[in-house]
Amino acid sequence: MKSIDPKSLSAKENYKFLTGSIIPRPVAFVTTTTKEGILNAAPFSYFNIVSSTPPLISVSVQRADGQPKDTARNAMEAGEFVVHISDESYVEAINQTAASLPPDESEVELAGLTPIKSTKVAVPALKEASIRLECVLEQSIPLGGSEENPACDLLIGEIVHYHIREDLYEEGRIDAAGLKPVSRLAGNNYSKLGETFTLERPK
């Protein structure tokens, strides 16, 4: 067993160990809008559930040179965002939105995705997604790095409206095989759902 102190590693080395070990990771495909109304979209695999009462989710957005990225800045300014669950049907378009564009250019247009009106937030959603989660910002927490220069912005969003493709929904449950979610591995690698199995929880 290799034993390593993370403090002896560079940021890049820690990143490689983290993204290679904590797998697979679900991908939040997030839309936000700028003050000028430009629709921004970007994927984030530092993403998970926080609470079910109320329904809260977290998306960690790494900073660039100490500055919040477009998604974090837009979400903090507008107080809302939409998370789309990434799936096989549009994962190539999602990947295109990871390109570094200036704030006044839309990744949605670049990838040829289709904006649609949301129900409870002003931020548009994307028609291609099978599951959409409309969120209001519960908290944004700067973390990591130093107090003067945080490494990321942790966005906690409360889901205020769900949109689920009709054929995926049955008696309050979602058909995972039908959703065909994709998840991130290390580097440029992704994973499909693959084989599933069941274990009964101990009482």
Side-chain angles (χ1 to χ4, degrees), residues 39-78:
L39 183 59
N40 172 274
F44 300 94
S45 69
Y46 294 10
F47 162 54
N48 221 312
I49 300 165
V50 175
S51 165
S52 57
T53 50
L56 299 176
I57 57 176
S58 66
V59 180
S60 178
V61 182
Q62 304 305 295
R63 290 196 176 195
D65 299 321
Q67 297 301 310
K69 289 186 178 178
D70 294 345
T71 296
R73 186 183 63 254
N74 294 342
M76 289 187 282
E77 288 177 351

Side-chain angles (χ1 to χ4, degrees), residues 29-33 39-42 80-84 108 123-126:
F29 188 38
V30 184
T31 53
T32 57
T33 50
L39 183 59
N40 172 274
E80 55 187 30
F81 55 96
V82 181
V83 169
H84 308 74
V108 173
V123 177
L126 299 172

Side-chain angles (χ1 to χ4, degrees), residues 11-174:
K12 187 173 184 180
E13 288 169 330
N14 272 307
Y15 171 81
K16 286 183 176 180
F17 283 160
L18 286 167
T19 58
S21 302
I22 302 173
I23 55 175
R25 298 185 306 282
V27 181
F29 188 38
V30 184
T31 53
T32 57
T33 50
T34 67
K35 289 179 178 178
E36 295 73 28
I38 304 296
L39 183 59
N40 172 274
F44 300 94
S45 69
Y46 294 10
F47 162 54
N48 221 312
I49 300 165
V50 175
S51 165
S52 57
T53 50
L56 299 176
I57 57 176
S58 66
V59 180
S60 178
V61 182
Q62 304 305 295
R63 290 196 176 195
D65 299 321
Q67 297 301 310
K69 289 186 178 178
D70 294 345
T71 296
R73 186 183 63 254
N74 294 342
M76 289 187 282
E77 288 177 351
E80 55 187 30
F81 55 96
V82 181
V83 169
H84 308 74
I85 303 302
S86 301
D87 66 55
E88 292 180 40
S89 69
Y90 71 124
V91 67
E92 290 183 11
I94 293 171
N95 186 52
Q96 287 184 44
T97 68
S100 296
L101 296 184
D104 60 350
E105 292 185 28
S106 174
E107 296 85 357
V108 173
E109 292 181 14
L110 173 72
L113 292 164
T114 314
I116 54 174
K117 187 177 176 64
S118 293
T119 301
K120 292 185 179 175
V121 299
V123 177
L126 299 172
K127 184 178 180 180
E128 286 76 9
S130 298
I131 295 179
R132 309 192 303 271
L133 313 173
E134 297 182 19
C135 299
V136 295
L137 186 65
E138 171 76 13
Q139 285 188 63
S140 62
I141 309 169
L143 294 171
S146 64
E147 189 172 338
E148 301 78 23
N149 190 19
C152 72
D153 294 290
L154 181 64
L155 307 178
I156 308 294
E158 179 179 351
I159 299 169
V160 294
H161 206 83
Y162 296 99
H163 296 272
I164 303 166
R165 201 177 74 205
E166 195 74 36
D167 63 293
L168 298 179
Y169 179 87
E170 184 175 353
E171 297 181 359
R173 297 183 183 276
I174 292 170

